[in-house]
Amino acid sequence: QVQLVVSGGGLVQARGSLRLSCAASGRTFSSYAMGWFRQAPGQEREFVSRISRSGPTTYYADSVKGRFTISRDNAKNTVNLQMNSLRPEDTAVYYCAASSRAYYTRVPAEYEYWGQGTQVTVSS
């Protein structure tokens, strides 16, 4: 069982930055790959980024590549998403999620545990 608590959302102007954090409970954090997803109003939940269990391998959606950076600290049970050069189209509720799948997946249903989500609003 993994419980995830997300923090760090807010309102920012276009071209600004935000850092999202996700704190996990439990002693098995390093057994899970971690992902970030987002969901805008009226839209399906979409993949943003993923980091492997030990952290060396990362994946990004094309829409955020070069602007967002995912990282994790297994000693602190945290995963972060640094978001730079934000755009109005990045506005959404952002979720962190944990997946026991060892293979790379962007499918939300393949992530077993989810945080509560945090609102990110980017004004133009």
Side-chain angles (χ1 to χ4, degrees):
Q1 187 82 10
V2 178
Q3 292 184 323
L4 304 173
V5 177
V6 180
S7 61
L11 174 65
V12 64
Q13 290 188 328
R15 295 179 298 280
S17 297
L18 279 176
R19 184 178 177 86
L20 304 183
S21 294
C22 177
S25 64
R27 292 174 287 181
T28 60
F29 178 68
S30 60
S31 299
Y32 294 87
M34 297 299 296
W36 286 95
F37 290 79
R38 66 187 182 187
Q39 189 167 19
Q43 308 269 339
E44 292 188 352
R45 192 166 296 188
E46 67 169 352
F47 170 82
V48 173
S49 183
R50 173 185 168 102
I51 189 166
S52 61
R53 294 169 180 174
S54 56
T57 305
T58 57
Y59 304 90
Y60 297 93
D62 288 344
S63 59
V64 307
K65 202 171 294 182
R67 301 187 297 122
F68 290 11
T69 303
I70 190 171
S71 61
R72 69 186 296 164
D73 185 336
N74 286 345
K76 296 181 179 179
N77 283 12
T78 57
V79 59
N80 299 307
L81 186 69
Q82 178 66 42
M83 306 186 294
N84 298 329
S85 301
L86 283 161
R87 304 167 180 169
E89 54 264 39
D90 294 318
T91 295
V93 176
Y94 282 71
Y95 300 87
C96 74
S99 174
S100 61
R101 273 78 169 176
Y103 55 84
Y104 167 45
T105 176
R106 298 178 169 223
V107 178
E110 295 191 328
Y111 288 74
E112 293 96 326
Y113 302 104
W114 290 82
Q116 83 281 13
T118 187
Q119 177 70 47
V120 171
T121 302
V122 185
S123 62
S124 57

